[in-house]
Amino acid sequence: MTPPSLGKDLLGLEKLTAEQIRLVLDTAEPFKEVSERAIKKVPTLRGKTIVNLFFEASTRTRISFEFAQKRLSADTVNISSTGSSVQKGETLVDTARNLEAMRIDMVVMRHPSSGAAKFLAERIRSNVINAGDGQHEHPTQGLLDLLTIRDNFDAIDGLKVCICGDILHSRVARSNIWGLLKLGAEVAVCGPQSLLPRGIEGLGVQVFHRIEQAIEWSDVLNILRLQLERMSAGYIPSLREYYRVFGVTMERLEAAPKDLLILHPGPMNRGVEIDSRVADGPHSVILSQVTNGVAVRMAILYLLAGGEPALAEAAKRTNREGAE
Amino acid sequence: MRVCIARRSISQRHGVSALTDVAAASNFRGDMGSMHTRTLLDSAAIAKALERISREIVELAGGTEHLALVGIQRRGVELAERVAKLISQREGADVPRGAMDITLYRDDLQTVGPRPIVGETRIPFDIDGLCVVIVDDVLYTGRTVRAALDQLADFGRPCRIGLAVLVDRGERELPIQADIIGESVNAPGKRVDVLVSEVDGRDAVELVEASE
């Protein structure tokens, strides 16, 4: 029996099996405890060098990765596109190859172009972790959402999860949809027609155009931010209008037949997609998501950092011979 | 580089028991068809050994006042629970218990890769100034105990750390020894399995070797 592994890179949830996703979630469990210790550090990745390559603004994800790396004793360097040779016209591959020449082990990358992580992973030896590529995937966010949902229900299988808001521009939505479907959840999306990608039903999700219907149907709401920075013009009439029609408000939740678990990947726009009273309410697990994010990222780093497969195989063979 | 290769071959030679150390041996119990199994300790002998171990632990700690037990995942945790129960029956003291998984402190991540599932580490008390006795099923290469000592040091500064094992099978790779031993076994090239009813459905210490 070969135990499941993740392979060299983590690029997205679309290509992972349910077994691999469960492996990450199960591995994340013991890492939660490490962050609760007085000395929040284990020596597991001592001597590993990890580069956080962020070509797009990020606070939560970058810091979460950095905490995860430091708590595993890895050495880290942060590079952002501003103030680096990227501004001088260097290509992505050249940047990465120069880093590899300094003997790094892993790259965590956020990039505005969809597919950038895969492009890089195919060209360098180091492990690549996708920290968000364009509008494609944000796998660690998807995984931490899954972990947070699993913490609050016995199983994800059979749950009804609705992703609300700006689905069109959201890599979080894509990673969530693939991950949730693989683990057996029913998935829906809800938002204005202009913010739903055409053919989204093809992924196997239901579509709600009214937030009241979504709330009535769901066990879990994952509320996404309106990505105003990605909207050139004309997607929604106004923020106030959006809140009036699609905002997740206390009144709307109180009308629901059951209590809903409320997730939001942050940063929140209070009073746009979510009512402050909901964000701070008893069913909000928004801060648990942040806590779980560190554990999930530790699990990913741990699973990818492991030894050389050839040596592991050899060790296994010797084990068997020794046992015979 | 030569040093590296030598170390690797040692860890491969002892691969099986290194696994038994971490209580991941269940992976290998599947191919027991061609194996010859001999019982070293039956359930009564284990009960007797644990009774003696529990007395010696209290002696080592000079009473129960500053004593704490930490079991190593997986079977060490169950053994620590039983020892604590014996102490509580005899001395009427509730000894604090913890559990440790040492996977994150292993020295062979580079060689064998990550163990898929890391067990729970739970030390729900302050270990500063206590006499912490580590409890495990088998002591073999000593690498698990080395990792456990490193991990304990990250939780605080006990005034003393002791080691109690049900089986000591010798062949150490590190200068580590147990304070309290249930049974010493000399079994080069063979496998020593400790089974506990909480995990395996029955209590036994078995010597497993090839039938030819």
Side-chain angles (χ1 to χ4, degrees):
Chain A
M1 184 202 74
T2 327
S5 79
L6 285 188
K8 173 177 162 284
D9 310 298
L10 177 72
L11 304 178
L13 297 193
E14 185 184 6
K15 297 282 191 281
L16 292 188
T17 63
E19 196 189 20
Q20 287 172 314
I21 294 174
R22 283 192 204 99
L23 169 70
V24 176
L25 302 185
D26 292 343
T27 306
E29 289 294 340
F31 284 113
K32 290 178 183 173
E33 178 266 332
V34 175
S35 295
E36 305 299 329
R37 296 182 189 177
I39 297 180
K40 302 175 184 56
K41 208 176 186 69
V42 291
T44 318
L45 296 190
R46 216 166 35 139
K48 294 274 183 196
T49 310
I50 306 178
V51 175
N52 299 316
L53 198 51
F54 278 70
F55 294 102
E56 232 183 42
S58 165
T59 309
R60 204 176 332 264
T61 304
R62 187 175 55 73
I63 290 176
S64 178
F65 264 111
E66 225 183 311
F67 278 141
Q69 292 154 355
K70 290 186 191 317
R71 286 173 194 178
L72 290 172
S73 304
D75 297 313
T76 63
V77 176
N78 295 320
I79 301 174
S80 58
S81 49
T82 49
S84 71
S85 51
V86 177
Q87 272 186 332
K88 300 177 187 166
E90 190 173 59
T91 67
L92 174 58
V93 168
D94 281 335
T95 302
R97 286 196 182 137
N98 276 277
L99 291 168
E100 279 208 312
M102 293 185 238
R103 302 290 177 259
I104 59 162
D105 298 292
M106 282 193 207
V107 177
V108 175
M109 185 173 73
R110 166 164 294 187
H111 199 281
S113 303
S114 303
K118 180 166 184 285
F119 175 84
L120 188 67
E122 287 165 353
R123 284 163 182 78
I124 65 173
R125 289 186 308 275
S126 309
N127 309 99
V128 174
I129 299 175
N130 182 4
D133 60 331
Q135 302 173 15
H136 176 231
E137 282 226 45
H138 189 351
T140 55
Q141 179 71 45
L143 289 163
L144 74 89
D145 289 346
L146 291 172
L147 184 64
T148 309
I149 295 171
R150 200 177 74 165
D151 283 349
N152 284 276
F153 294 92
D154 291 335
I156 288 178
D157 187 26
L159 276 183
K160 291 180 170 157
V161 183
C162 184
I163 304 161
C164 311
D166 183 358
I167 313 294
L168 182 66
H169 297 99
S170 177
R171 51 197 173 210
V172 176
R174 278 165 194 74
S175 290
N176 259 278
I177 290 170
W178 280 311
L180 286 163
L181 288 174
K182 279 170 206 266
L183 295 190
E186 289 181 59
V187 184
V189 295
C190 174
Q193 190 71 53
S194 58
L195 291 175
L196 297 177
R198 206 172 297 153
I200 183 95
E201 299 89 344
L203 292 178
V205 302
Q206 279 198 59
V207 176
F208 293 113
H209 293 290
R210 290 177 53 82
I211 192 74
E212 291 83 359
Q213 292 172 326
I215 288 172
E216 195 185 335
W217 177 84
S218 305
D219 300 305
V220 180
L221 287 188
N222 197 346
I223 304 162
L224 305 180
R225 182 175 65 93
L226 284 186
Q227 303 203 24
L228 301 170
E229 74 278 16
R230 291 186 210 273
M231 297 180 193
S232 39
Y235 284 100
I236 51 166
S238 75
L239 294 182
R240 189 186 293 180
E241 174 82 356
Y242 183 85
Y243 183 68
R244 197 178 59 76
V245 180
F246 286 100
V248 178
T249 61
M250 212 55 167
E251 291 72 25
R252 285 183 169 135
L253 287 182
E254 276 163 1
K258 54 181 176 290
D259 289 336
L260 272 67
L261 193 72
I262 303 294
L263 283 82
H264 191 303
M268 274 187 285
N269 293 137
R270 288 170 184 261
V272 180
E273 68 269 2
I274 188 167
D275 179 348
S276 258
R277 287 172 299 160
V278 173
D280 305 327
H283 304 299
S284 158
V285 287
I286 295 169
L287 292 175
S288 308
Q289 287 174 273
V290 179
T291 307
N292 278 342
V294 178
V296 156
R297 292 179 176 112
M298 287 171 89
I300 295 289
L301 294 166
Y302 169 67
L303 289 169
L304 292 183
E308 303 155 50
L311 287 176
E313 280 309 306
K316 250 185 271 166
R317 271 200 306 281
T318 328
N319 286 343
R320 274 192 213 104
E321 282 156 19
E324 272 156 19
Chain B
M1 193 58 207
R2 185 167 296 163
V3 176
C4 269
I5 290 167
R7 225 196 61 186
R8 202 171 281 157
S9 72
I10 287 170
S11 72
Q12 285 175 7
R13 184 155 56 80
H14 297 316
V16 175
S17 314
L19 275 171
T20 317
D21 270 4
V22 209
S26 53
N27 288 346
F28 292 89
R29 295 209 170 119
D31 26 299
M32 268 169 48
S34 60
M35 301 287 148
H36 174 73
T37 303
R38 188 157 64 85
T39 302
L40 297 174
L41 297 179
D42 61 12
S43 117
I46 289 177
K48 213 172 135 202
L50 288 177
E51 174 65 37
R52 182 170 56 76
I53 287 172
S54 73
R55 285 179 193 281
E56 290 181 12
I57 284 176
V58 175
E59 217 168 282
L60 178 88
T64 54
E65 199 186 339
H66 301 292
L67 173 63
L69 301 175
V70 173
I72 296 183
Q73 293 281 12
R74 177 74 235 266
R75 289 161 184 80
V77 177
E78 307 300 347
L79 295 177
E81 277 301 316
R82 289 203 213 172
V83 167
K85 197 180 268 176
L86 290 170
I87 293 174
S88 124
Q89 282 165 4
R90 204 177 47 240
E91 321 271 337
D94 191 21
V95 177
R97 268 103 65 204
M100 250 186 345
D101 185 293
I102 54 86
T103 309
L104 300 177
Y105 287 73
R106 292 184 69 87
D107 58 7
D108 58 359
L109 183 66
Q110 279 314 299
T111 324
V112 296
R115 307 271 162 196
I117 299 301
V118 183
E120 182 190 31
T121 294
R122 166 177 40 83
I123 301 182
F125 48 87
D126 187 357
I127 65 171
D128 286 356
L130 295 182
C131 173
V132 176
V133 176
I134 298 172
V135 181
D136 204 2
D137 53 354
V138 181
L139 175 60
Y140 185 24
T141 62
R143 290 181 189 273
T144 299
V145 175
R146 193 280 307 160
L149 290 171
D150 284 355
Q151 174 147 251
L152 263 189
D154 283 351
F155 276 88
R157 187 180 184 279
C159 74
R160 157 135 214 216
I161 300 178
L163 173 63
V165 296
L166 183 58
V167 177
D168 178 2
R169 53 166 307 183
E171 294 179 73
R172 221 76 78 229
E173 292 173 1
L174 298 173
I176 279 172
Q177 56 183 328
D179 300 290
I180 296 160
I181 297 164
E183 180 82 13
S184 292
V185 175
N186 186 23
K190 292 164 194 158
R191 210 174 78 202
V192 176
D193 285 350
V194 172
L195 294 92
V196 297
S197 53
E198 295 89 337
V199 181
D200 309 291
R202 66 195 171 93
D203 280 356
V205 176
E206 295 176 345
L207 187 68
V208 184
E209 57 186 311
S211 48
E212 309 78 0

